[in-house]
Amino acid sequence: MEFSSKLLEKAVDEMSQLPGVGKRTALRLVLHLLGQPKENTFQLAEALNTMRNDIKFCKNCNNISDTDLCEICSNPNRVEDVICVVEDIRDVMAIENTSSFKGLYHVLGGKISPMDGVGPNDLNIEPLVQKAREGKIKELIFALGSTMEGDTTNFYIYKQIQEFNITTSTIARGISVGNELEYTDEITLGRSIINRIPFETSLKS
């Protein structure tokens, strides 16, 4: 792709680093920004810069937040000893949209994937085990996508907390194998949370 401007080329190269955005789409987006009033572009740049500099991770659940404690963890109406383990904030948003879960979350920040060089120490697992060790968890719900990496991560965490007196369950398999939670419709996901099954049962299936 030939560019008449190095500045344009640089902008397109940076835009094309975004997931799912190829060079042609990046060019279309950059040209769209060029066609807008300058203040619109400045507002976008300022919003991204502010987010990158000021965003926080909840000290309790690792969810993305504007404050040290996210709105979910600071809500006194949530059930504190029932924790749903998810991969990232997209899964928190998907489950919250179902209005079917009233406990708290624990965001791992990924899944165990040896092929990608991601091991247990690269994820936010130890704080979860520490909560279990301190008796702060009554039930742990595994809500990772039903992929090999998700199942591996579930099993690893299960082995880490097995010695503690904690009920472990997993969302019902109304979700197709290999699907990510963010792409599952709210009704199916909500029913999967409500009809969760003991984790030990899922190991036998």
Side-chain angles (χ1 to χ4, degrees), residues 63 88-98 105 186 189:
N63 189 16
D88 59 33
I89 187 175
R90 292 171 297 181
D91 299 330
V92 173
M93 295 170 66
I95 295 173
E96 283 297 287
N97 285 337
T98 70
Y105 296 90
E186 295 173 7
L189 182 55

Side-chain angles (χ1 to χ4, degrees), residues 10-165:
K10 175 64 175 176
V12 170
D13 285 343
E14 293 299 325
M15 189 74 77
S16 65
Q17 300 302 311
L18 297 172
V21 178
K23 282 292 182 71
R24 292 187 182 280
T25 300
L27 176 60
R28 187 165 65 250
L29 293 172
V30 170
L31 291 177
H32 171 77
L33 291 174
L34 277 177
Q36 299 297 304
K38 284 186 178 181
E39 54 268 24
N40 289 13
T41 304
F42 294 153
Q43 288 172 5
L44 173 60
E46 182 181 1
L48 292 173
N49 188 55
T50 301
M51 177 195 69
R52 194 65 186 89
N53 289 328
D54 298 343
I55 203 77
K56 299 178 184 297
F57 290 92
C58 176
K59 62 183 181 181
N60 185 53
C61 73
N62 201 43
N63 189 16
I64 291 176
S65 175
D66 292 339
T67 55
D68 290 335
L69 203 63
C70 73
E71 292 183 355
I72 296 174
C73 288
S74 59
N75 186 342
N77 296 320
R78 307 292 294 217
V79 182
E80 295 184 358
D81 56 4
V82 177
I83 296 181
C84 185
V85 180
V86 297
E87 180 181 352
D88 59 33
I89 187 175
R90 292 171 297 181
D91 299 330
V92 173
M93 295 170 66
I95 295 173
E96 283 297 287
N97 285 337
T98 70
S99 301
S100 300
F101 180 65
K102 302 304 179 185
L104 300 183
Y105 296 90
H106 186 87
V107 181
L108 296 176
K111 293 178 288 192
I112 295 174
S113 178
M115 292 289 291
D116 298 319
V118 180
N121 293 333
D122 298 311
L123 304 178
N124 187 40
I125 293 177
E126 181 52 36
L128 179 64
V129 176
Q130 184 60 31
K131 289 178 186 178
R133 189 177 294 117
E134 295 172 357
K136 295 181 178 179
I137 305 175
K138 178 180 179 182
E139 180 183 1
L140 198 65
I141 305 170
F142 295 110
L144 300 180
S146 43
T147 61
M148 181 178 295
E149 292 81 6
D151 290 342
T152 298
T153 307
N154 287 341
F155 186 69
Y156 178 86
I157 296 173
Y158 172 73
K159 296 297 289 185
Q160 296 300 305
I161 66 167
Q162 196 172 17
E163 62 182 285
F164 308 116
N165 186 27

